[in-house]
Amino acid sequence: MAPTTWERKDLLGLEGLSASEIETILDLAASFKSAPPADDLKGRTVAFIFTEASTRTRSSCEMAAKRLGADVLSFSPIGSSLSKGETLLDTFLNLHAVGVTHFVVRHERSGVLEDLAPLLKASVINAGDGWHEHPTQALLDLLTLRDRWGGFKGRKIVVLGDIRHSRVARSNLFALKKLGAKVVFCGPTPLCPDDFSALGAVVEHDVEKALKGADAVNVLRLQIERMDQGFVPSLADYALSYQLTPARADLMKPEALVLHPGPINRGVEIASEVADGPRSVILEQVANGVLARMAVLSLCERGRSLA
């Protein structure tokens, strides 16, 4: 049964959520580990509209919807009326008219859902929009860390890599700060501008200094597909200066954890020895993604019924 402290029909980001709302999602997700989920979405239909490629997020969200008893509608923008010029809003309205109650959306444009979601009776879950946010990824990251730690106060988490183009970095920062953690953004200056300090992150360009004494590091890949100019001289140069190697990982606390949202570019942002090593919780993140997304879908269904 979903907690009674949730009234939102949509999850568009974590910046606007309170610490208690974030904890509500994590608590419900954690409860699914020990208790079979109720059919909270029985008789509901979840549509997936992804205009960007995805493996983990899409498969995880589909698995979450099915475990909650929902019907799943796979939708490809290619070959749809979106390719003929139909607006995203009209696509939503038409799919809602045929019975879709929840939309899980990935889109290349930042903030695209902010104006659309209030116009819909259906729930909208952001599965990543441009450089803006990726709230369910951050929630599964937090769930993975909370499983090990119990809480976040006093913890130091480093987000390492291409911060500029990362919606994951932003969602993690918003949530971790609310829960009492210190967040350090680290990367070369073009990919980790000092401006991020205005959002509450500590910005550091020296990777060894950033990692020293950290409780966890979340490693990000270089998003070459979003770069229209030379932010790094070469992949080899980036790996030499910022790759999470075993020696750099050892600068963290002995029990520190290594996370990565995927997809991994082995030998670029992270060495295979670290990705597959004893510190790594990367596959735990993937498993926890189903639970976190089940919690989001269940809570948004509750909020939709209250709207």
Side-chain angles (χ1 to χ4, degrees):
M1 179 66 68
T4 59
T5 55
W6 185 272
E7 297 181 351
R8 299 175 184 267
K9 77 173 182 70
D10 308 309
L11 181 68
L12 307 183
L14 301 184
E15 184 176 13
L17 266 60
S18 67
S20 63
E21 287 176 310
I22 295 170
E23 292 281 12
T24 292
I25 300 172
L26 298 178
D27 288 345
L28 183 58
S31 75
F32 291 144
K33 288 179 179 284
S34 56
D39 288 335
D40 289 353
L41 266 63
K42 187 175 182 180
R44 309 293 187 260
T45 300
V46 182
F48 296 86
I49 300 179
F50 279 53
T51 64
E52 290 184 325
S54 172
T55 297
R56 279 153 297 278
T57 300
R58 181 159 188 158
S59 60
S60 177
C61 288
E62 288 189 7
M63 184 69 72
K66 290 177 180 178
R67 287 191 182 178
L68 292 170
D71 293 321
V72 170
L73 176 65
S74 294
F75 175 90
S76 174
I78 299 174
S80 76
S81 292
L82 284 171
S83 65
K84 299 178 180 179
E86 183 174 76
T87 67
L88 192 58
L89 176 58
D90 281 330
T91 295
F92 284 150
L93 292 173
N94 279 277
L95 290 175
H96 178 63
V98 299
V100 171
T101 54
H102 298 71
F103 292 97
V104 179
V105 185
R106 170 166 291 187
H107 201 279
E108 67 275 6
R109 195 164 83 244
S110 299
V112 67
L113 302 176
E114 301 291 333
D115 294 330
L116 296 182
L119 304 177
L120 302 171
K121 294 181 179 179
S123 290
V124 179
I125 291 94
N126 181 4
D129 61 328
W131 303 357
H132 176 224
E133 281 214 46
H134 193 348
T136 62
Q137 176 65 49
L139 289 167
L140 70 88
D141 294 342
L142 267 64
L143 183 61
T144 303
L145 293 174
R146 200 178 75 158
D147 284 347
R148 297 296 188 99
W149 297 343
F152 298 92
K153 291 189 183 301
R155 297 289 185 173
K156 174 185 174 182
I157 296 96
V158 178
V159 184
L160 173 63
D162 184 359
I163 310 294
R164 176 185 290 271
H165 303 106
S166 178
R167 50 200 175 206
V168 173
R170 289 166 174 81
S171 288
N172 268 274
L173 174 62
F174 297 142
L176 287 166
K177 289 288 291 182
K178 292 175 193 291
L179 298 179
K182 175 183 178 180
V183 181
V184 179
F185 280 176
C186 181
T189 300
L191 295 178
C192 185
D194 293 332
D195 294 350
F196 278 110
S197 61
L199 297 180
V202 175
V203 177
E204 177 58 64
H205 305 296
D206 183 324
V207 65
E208 282 80 14
K209 183 178 178 181
L211 290 170
K212 188 175 181 180
D215 294 286
V217 59
N218 201 344
V219 186
L220 306 176
R221 71 180 178 89
L222 292 176
Q223 297 193 37
I224 302 298
E225 73 276 11
R226 298 189 192 277
M227 298 184 190
D228 55 6
Q229 51 187 300
F231 286 97
V232 294
S234 70
L235 294 183
D237 286 332
Y238 179 85
L240 180 65
S241 299
Y242 287 97
Q243 182 185 124
L244 186 65
T245 61
R248 286 174 175 150
D250 284 344
L251 295 171
M252 301 191 293
K253 292 179 179 177
E255 69 281 7
L257 304 173
V258 173
L259 300 90
H260 195 305
I264 296 174
N265 291 318
R266 293 172 180 266
V268 180
E269 75 272 5
I270 189 169
S272 288
E273 301 95 315
V274 180
D276 302 326
R279 296 179 183 273
S280 175
V281 291
I282 294 171
L283 293 181
E284 290 181 37
Q285 289 173 267
V286 177
N288 281 331
V290 178
L291 303 176
R293 285 153 178 150
M294 286 169 61
V296 168
L297 285 165
S298 179
L299 289 167
C300 287
E301 167 61 14
R302 180 179 181 83
R304 191 179 70 89
S305 67
L306 296 174

